[in-house]
Amino acid sequence: MSETKSETIPETFSLRLQGSIYLIAGFSGNMNAMMSVVMPLWALELGASPLLIGLIIASRQVLSVGFSIHGGALMDRLGPRRVIATLGLTGAVLVALYPAAPYIWAAILLQLLTGFIETTNWIGAQSLVGKLLKGRAVYAGRMTAAARLGGFAGPLLAGLAWQFWGPAGAFYVVAAWVLAAAFAALTLPDIPLDEKREAPADDTRSAPLKALSVLLPRWSDYRTALGTLVIPAVALVIVATVMRQTGSGIQTAFYSVWLKEIGYSAGTIGFLIGTGNLVSAGAALS
């Protein structure tokens, strides 16, 4: 069946748009992979016990679980370009603060914030494929492949930076990587706001209050998103995602520590963690 005119993506616009989305995916979807190398090593530097190492790693997901729906709603209200660029800049600053605060409580706090930022920007990359590239499997596969290629290069660079420049150098490399996602977002076309989510025309609140209301979570967003769980396909995706992330999270909590304990260098640890992403990049394209 031929595509309708509304479904057709102009080729010149598509190439530019695809390039921007793949850049965003390549940089924004891999902070966790890079931190999987750096954070366990940093926790060891701080003298954390195995229990505390697990807590530091797990804390990265707390705000992501509670506010992922809100992050998606922000994408709708403000547009992915603005949100990804702002959060990318914020995330780069926060990652650069790790070596300046060598305390376990600071590591947990920064993990909370940077985890939310990474999750939200990855949601943004996925929503760009869904909304602007019509959710076609071929574009989703290319985006995932771009993210996985970044997931190979990023951990390798982070590991080598730790090996040659120490913890501070590794965190600064991760910060530069996150900042690159913000610049990649600026290459997107200026996507208009989702008018349906804007305040009513007769809203008499002051401008600061209106701006604050846009940023705050809304129960209506959660009600709408949670309501989709009654759709079997959506529920299946959620369950599959939970299973995948659970296994990945368990491995993240101990893998780098174990490799360090048996004598591998940080660069080798980064290479080993990135190898799985390199393999999955080919799987995404196929």
Side-chain angles (χ1 to χ4, degrees):
M1 181 181 294
S2 61
E3 295 176 334
T4 63
K5 183 176 181 181
S6 62
E7 293 176 331
T8 302
I9 304 172
E11 187 63 25
T12 53
F13 180 69
S14 171
L15 292 175
R16 179 169 67 94
L17 183 60
Q18 284 185 70
S20 297
I21 293 173
Y22 302 154
L23 278 174
I24 291 171
F27 287 110
S28 68
N30 298 297
M31 189 198 299
N32 187 55
M34 300 177 78
M35 296 299 272
S36 296
V37 178
V38 177
M39 279 312 300
L41 299 179
W42 181 237
L44 289 175
E45 288 281 322
L46 298 179
S49 66
L51 177 61
L52 283 176
I53 293 174
L55 178 61
I56 291 170
I57 301 301
S59 63
R60 188 170 187 80
Q61 307 302 330
V62 174
L63 291 184
S64 299
V65 171
F67 292 96
S68 59
I69 292 175
H70 176 54
L74 284 178
M75 294 289 173
D76 286 340
R77 290 200 290 268
L78 301 176
R81 182 176 187 266
R82 187 183 306 180
V83 174
I84 294 173
T86 301
L87 290 183
L89 176 60
T90 305
V93 173
L94 291 175
V95 172
L97 289 177
Y98 277 93
Y103 310 105
I104 291 175
W105 64 265
I108 294 174
L109 176 61
L110 290 170
Q111 282 282 87
L112 288 168
L113 298 174
T114 57
F116 169 73
I117 287 172
E118 183 204 15
T119 298
T120 303
N121 280 358
W122 178 236
I123 289 172
Q126 293 173 310
S127 68
L128 288 168
V129 173
K131 288 188 175 183
L132 301 184
L133 298 179
K134 314 302 181 184
R136 296 178 186 175
V138 63
Y139 298 131
R142 292 173 186 173
M143 180 207 69
T144 304
R148 296 297 176 256
L149 288 173
F152 170 72
L156 178 59
L157 288 175
L160 290 173
W162 182 288
Q163 183 171 329
F164 293 107
W165 301 322
F171 281 115
Y172 294 153
V173 166
V174 177
W177 188 277
V178 177
L179 186 61
F183 283 110
L186 297 179
T187 66
L188 282 170
D190 193 12
I191 304 167
L193 300 179
D194 186 341
E195 299 294 340
K196 294 182 293 183
R197 292 184 177 268
E198 289 303 294
D202 59 352
D203 193 338
T204 58
R205 292 173 295 179
S206 64
L209 287 178
K210 289 180 182 179
L212 182 62
S213 70
V214 170
L215 297 177
L216 291 177
R218 299 179 187 177
W219 168 241
S220 59
D221 297 326
Y222 284 80
R223 184 175 62 245
T224 300
L226 293 174
T228 63
L229 291 177
V230 301
I231 303 172
V234 174
L236 176 62
V237 169
I238 296 298
V239 171
T241 301
V242 169
M243 296 298 293
R244 174 189 176 276
Q245 295 293 347
T246 299
S248 177
I250 292 172
Q251 178 175 332
T252 299
F254 74 87
Y255 188 51
S256 292
V257 174
W258 176 67
L259 291 174
K260 178 69 173 178
E261 290 294 321
I262 62 176
Y264 284 102
S265 67
T268 303
I269 294 172
F271 172 77
L272 291 172
I273 289 178
T275 299
N277 286 315
L278 183 63
V279 173
S280 63
L285 289 175
S286 61

